[in-house]
Amino acid sequence: MSSGRATDPQRTGPTEKCGVVGVSLEEREAALPTYYALYALQHRGQESAGIVSHDGFQQHEHVGMGLVGEAFTETDIDTLHGSSGVGHVRYPTAGSVDKSNAQPFTVSFEAGSLALSHNGNLVNTTALRSKLAEKGHAFSSDGDTEVIAHDLARNLLESDLVRAVKATMERLHGSYALTVMHDDTVMGIRDPEGNRPLIIGRIDGGNVIASESAAIDTLGGEVVRDVKPGELVVLAEDGSGFDAYQLLSPDRTANCFFEYVYFARPDSVIDGELVYETRRELGTKLWEEAGVETDVVMPVPDSGRAYASGYQEAAEDVEFAEGLMKNRYVGRTFIMPTQEARERAVRLKLNPIRSTVEDRSVTLIDDSIVRGTTSRQLVDLLRDAGAESVHVRIGAPPITAPCYMGIDMADRDELIAAENDAEGVESAIGADSLAYLSPEAVASAIGTEQSDLCMGCVTGDYPYDIEGETTDRDVTTPVLDR
Ligand code: 5GP
Ligand code: MG
């Protein structure tokens, strides 16, 4: 057994993994493309969806709970006038299913209006908020996005857009991929560590900035390039192009490896890497590091598919088969608030295909083990369906620590690998054998150095200064006095 920690340092505000988009068009209404882009980013958040548009005079806003298709009616879209817009889909986090956390977040102030969509999570929210509160700012939520909005509004009163954004970025510590609308100017901002993805595209009549390239594809557009870590990208109001400003330049990035492993769509390209191919490569490395000869290899649908395909191709002699059928009408199991509900949901979601399983040795491939619920249930399910043995192979290292940067996976006391080593997890999920992938293999499949990735949830060492946690870097925490 490895020594885990039973409780975690307090996290501030809701940690959010979300999808963001910003659209600027020449003359045409931005609401509809923004809405379609949110559909393409639906996997990044299902709790709420919102769009704020600007028609050159004023903002129009609609935010609703649930999926994009539930949050908007045709009439809602029709009322969102203007050729500029930002949109947001928000991921459900434990407990706080709450409209006051829904985004885009808006403020109006003397120098105009702001609308912000944020993916990621700051780790210095509390300090920033109290500094701003001293200066007379009043806050309506406990979230970090409101803090960014107030800081930026304050700086915009004193200087031009680029300088104001830079001054705000210098005060933020943590993870942020933002689409921001200042009056009808749409921009994208990516934190200096590039923790969350953000990409620029060219669409008919204008430009778009989105969390993932799949949103640009959906709009029939073309990817221009990623927003660079530490960069501000300002879209031209006439839809013609954009200006880019490298405002902060870190010596290392901290890209979230979990975007590649699980979170992003497989058809998205992040920082030049097609996620599907990265996952296949992870599968290949899984065979090389921990392959086991069984009669058949099968994925946990859908998240294990690309892995199993890469694994099986490398294995050659192991047959690939679908052994589990997914009921596509059941939502993601993580939405379920209690452990009991989550366990029931796995049975609702997946059913074995007897003929591929019965009397055979099986390798079951998934991307990750978080609480262990999925693996335990599926091992049981395959045994009930007559599997001779069930070997589990996981395309990521053990998740042993929480995420403070926007992937709200679980706390240490819920993470099965926080207290158990691989053998412990193997017996807890009832597998004949279990193996994970090494962090080195993950970095190599992504095509980067491990030191340029954020793997805090694996190593417990974070690329940020987080109270109560350790960091693997020489981090300079922003000085907030000025
Ligand atoms: P577990 O059942 O061990 O708690 O979670 C592992 C399963 O959940 C894997 O099948 C993985 O694909 C999926 N998963 C991993 N991280 C997340 C997450 O943040 N949200 C959701 N919905 N699923 C996740
Ligand atoms: Mg899964």
Side-chain angles (χ1 to χ4, degrees), residues 262 300-304 326 349 366-368 374:
Y262 171 78
V300 175
D302 296 307
S303 55
K326 186 167 180 170
K349 214 162 146 176
D366 204 358
D367 63 298
S368 60
T374 307

Side-chain angles (χ1 to χ4, degrees), residues 4-264:
R5 186 203 318 225
T7 55
D8 302 309
Q10 195 60 45
R11 275 180 276 185
T12 54
T15 71
E16 290 162 8
K17 54 177 168 185
C18 302
V20 302
V21 59
V23 174
S24 183
L25 297 177
E26 186 191 11
E27 287 170 0
R28 302 228 312 271
E29 300 278 278
L32 202 55
T34 306
Y35 171 73
Y36 289 138
L38 291 182
Y39 256 110
L41 299 174
Q42 184 75 81
H43 62 291
R44 299 186 71 87
Q46 302 94 44
E47 184 186 282
S48 67
I51 295 175
V52 178
S53 66
H54 200 289
D55 62 12
F57 299 99
Q58 57 172 323
Q59 285 186 346
H60 304 273
E61 172 176 357
H62 181 83
V63 175
M65 299 305 285
L67 301 173
V68 177
E70 300 161 345
F72 294 93
T73 64
E74 217 179 312
T75 325
D76 297 329
I77 300 293
D78 286 344
T79 58
L80 293 166
H81 296 298
S83 57
S84 306
V86 289
H88 189 264
V89 283
R90 184 176 188 275
Y91 203 79
T93 48
S96 57
V97 183
D98 180 354
K99 202 162 177 176
S100 77
N101 286 318
Q103 295 193 16
F105 186 89
T106 56
V107 288
S108 11
F109 60 114
E110 286 147 71
S113 64
L114 278 175
L116 284 88
S117 294
H118 178 198
N119 174 212
N121 194 57
L122 300 186
V123 297
N124 70 337
T125 307
T126 311
L128 252 180
R129 191 193 291 107
S130 58
K131 281 289 161 203
L132 287 163
E134 278 170 24
K135 302 210 158 83
H137 290 259
F139 294 93
S140 62
S141 77
D142 62 353
D144 50 353
T145 309
E146 183 175 14
V147 175
I148 303 174
H150 279 255
D151 199 77
L152 185 56
R154 197 182 145 69
N155 290 329
L156 280 167
L157 290 175
E158 286 166 14
S159 51
D160 63 65
L161 180 68
V162 176
R163 254 176 258 215
V165 170
K166 181 161 198 260
T168 292
M169 287 173 82
E170 280 167 348
R171 285 154 63 79
L172 305 181
H173 188 46
S175 158
Y176 51 96
L178 296 161
T179 53
V180 180
M181 194 167 59
H182 176 222
D183 295 333
D184 58 352
T185 302
V186 175
M187 58 198 136
I189 302 167
R190 194 171 178 199
D191 70 61
E193 283 82 23
N195 185 249
R196 298 281 144 220
L198 198 63
I199 193 159
I200 314 163
R202 173 91 202 143
I203 58 173
D204 193 21
N207 294 287
V208 54
I209 299 172
S211 293
E212 291 184 34
S213 63
I216 299 165
D217 299 338
T218 299
L219 298 178
E222 256 170 58
V223 168
V224 177
R225 66 169 175 84
D226 295 276
V227 177
K228 293 179 195 144
E231 194 176 49
L232 160 70
V233 168
V234 184
L235 302 186
E237 278 122 68
D238 63 3
S240 58
F242 61 85
D243 292 315
Y245 307 86
Q246 189 68 50
L247 298 182
L248 299 179
S249 308
D251 14 297
R252 287 155 78 184
T253 56
N255 305 129
C256 169
F257 86 98
F258 211 67
E259 289 278 351
Y260 293 96
V261 163
Y262 171 78
F263 198 37

Side-chain angles (χ1 to χ4, degrees), residues 283 287 297 307-321 365:
W287 167 260
V297 50
Y307 294 84
S309 139
Y311 181 97
Q312 190 264 345
E313 193 180 85
E316 285 175 14
D317 290 339
V318 182
E319 179 196 334
F320 178 96
I365 309 239

